[in-house]
Amino acid sequence: MTYTPFDPKTFLTVTLPRIHPRPKDPYEAALHSCDLAYAFEECRITCLEQYHADLLTIRSENCQSREYRIHWPTRTTYTVNVEKLRQDHPDLHRQLVYLKAADAEKFLGRSYLYNAARKYAGDRITPYEKVTIHDLKQHLPPTELPQYLTAKEHTLDPVILTAAEAP
C-alpha cells in the first residue's frame, strides 16, 4: 500500500461543503467559519500528537521501510566563546561584554547594567557574561571571528522522505 498525500484544497472545496455545508445567512456563516477554525485547530493538535507518537514508535521499535526513510535535520547556532575573547582581547571583551537582563536592559541599557553588576558583584558575574556575534563582527576581521564562536547543533523535527528523496 502506498501513501496518498492529503490534498487540503480538494477537501476544503469539494468534501467539506458536502459534509458540512456553509450557511447562507452571514451571521451563521461567520459562526460556521469560527467553529471550523476551532475544529481544525483541535484536529491539527491531535494529528501532530499522533505524528510524534508514530515517530516514537518508528524510533523505539527500529522500524525499517523499503519505501521511506526518516531524516533528522539539524540547525547549527553559534555563540561567542566569551572566556577566549577575554583572554585574547581583554580590551575588546570589556568593550563588548554584557549581562542578560531583558527587562532592566530596556530601561538602563547593557553597559550600565554590566558596569553596575561588576561594581556590585565583582568576578561573580563572569559566568553570566555575554557578547553578541553582531557586536563582535564589528570589531574583528572575518578571518579571526570563527575562533571566538562556539557551534551548537540542534535537532529539528524529523521529516519522513521517500527512499528516493533521502539524503
Side-chain angles (χ1 to χ4, degrees):
M1 182 163 122
T2 303
Y3 172 71
T4 303
F6 180 78
D7 180 9
K9 186 176 180 181
T10 302
F11 178 78
L12 292 171
T13 60
V14 178
T15 309
L16 183 61
R18 277 193 218 141
I19 61 174
H20 197 61
R22 183 173 170 79
K24 299 232 183 290
D25 179 274
Y27 286 91
E28 289 181 3
L31 287 171
H32 175 265
S33 296
C34 186
D35 287 347
L36 286 178
Y38 178 78
F40 286 144
E41 180 62 21
E42 289 296 312
C43 184
R44 184 187 78 81
I45 291 168
T46 302
C47 289
L48 283 174
E49 288 171 352
Q50 184 60 57
Y51 171 69
H52 287 286
D54 294 340
L55 289 175
L56 185 61
T57 300
I58 291 169
R59 202 170 195 184
S60 63
E61 296 179 12
N62 196 24
C63 298
Q64 302 298 315
S65 170
R66 289 184 179 161
E67 295 181 43
Y68 301 100
R69 302 288 180 269
I70 191 161
H71 175 63
W72 299 86
T74 60
R75 177 177 51 101
T76 303
T77 59
Y78 293 89
T79 56
V80 174
N81 183 332
V82 178
E83 188 56 39
K84 181 169 176 48
L85 182 65
R86 178 196 332 277
Q87 291 171 3
D88 294 355
H89 295 283
D91 292 341
L92 188 54
H93 169 268
R94 275 192 299 280
Q95 184 180 352
L96 302 178
V97 72
Y98 70 96
L99 298 175
K100 279 189 175 181
D103 294 332
E105 180 181 303
K106 292 174 188 171
F107 299 103
L108 302 173
R110 287 180 182 170
S111 295
Y112 178 85
L113 288 173
Y114 176 77
N115 290 327
R118 170 67 69 190
K119 188 175 183 179
Y120 175 78
D123 288 340
R124 290 183 298 157
I125 70 166
T126 300
Y128 304 99
E129 293 178 338
K130 303 288 181 201
V131 172
T132 67
I133 295 172
H134 176 76
D135 288 348
L136 193 58
K137 278 182 180 178
Q138 294 179 342
H139 291 85
L140 291 178
T143 54
E144 201 174 332
L145 185 65
Q147 65 182 314
Y148 298 100
L149 300 179
T150 303
K152 184 176 181 182
E153 247 182 43
H154 303 275
T155 302
L156 304 175
D157 284 341
V159 178
I160 302 216
L161 305 171
T162 64
E165 296 170 318

